[in-house]
Amino acid sequence: MSKRFRNYFNFSHPLIAKNLNPENCAWAYGMNIFDLRAWRKTNITNTYHAWLKENLKSNLTMWKLGTLPPALIAFKGHVHPIDASWHMLGLGYQSKTNIDNVKKAAVIHYNGQSKPWLEIGFEHLRPFWTKFVNSSNDFISTCHILE
């Protein structure tokens, strides 16, 4: 991923500036494979909750809202990359995505604003999502999800 911690955190906040490096690489929190035994041996959950509380105490000034920033802190040092062909990112912001790569990927990730169920979604990428949508589902049909 090309995103860095500086994209997610407020480095003018003293706790952030003291504990994080703005040049650290961020990772895609929407796709994870967890070793739960290893997780239980760490302090990840408590770290996550502690940083959430700190952000609340700071009136939500430490990072933009979302679950990624506290996860970046809690999982720091515990993340390992997976082969890029296994998890394809960028389908929600890259309009010129290679369709052959999408077809080969085990998991496709519509990270970014252009989700396939929104009008701003990229039409050429929408079929990779819609083929799994159950249009007869009451929730789907009443929410006017794009097909």
Side-chain angles (χ1 to χ4, degrees), residues 33-52:
I33 301 169
F34 294 108
D35 178 341
L36 295 178
R37 286 188 188 104
W39 182 330
R40 290 180 189 110
K41 294 177 184 175
T42 69
N43 202 23
I44 290 171
T45 303
N46 290 336
T47 301
Y48 185 91
H49 289 142
W51 280 95
L52 283 177

Side-chain angles (χ1 to χ4, degrees), residues 53-73:
K53 288 175 187 172
E54 286 296 330
N55 196 34
L56 286 171
K57 285 192 324 193
S58 76
N59 201 23
L60 304 175
T61 60
M62 296 171 77
W63 60 77
K64 297 173 186 162
L65 291 179
T67 58
L68 178 59
L72 290 172
I73 298 170

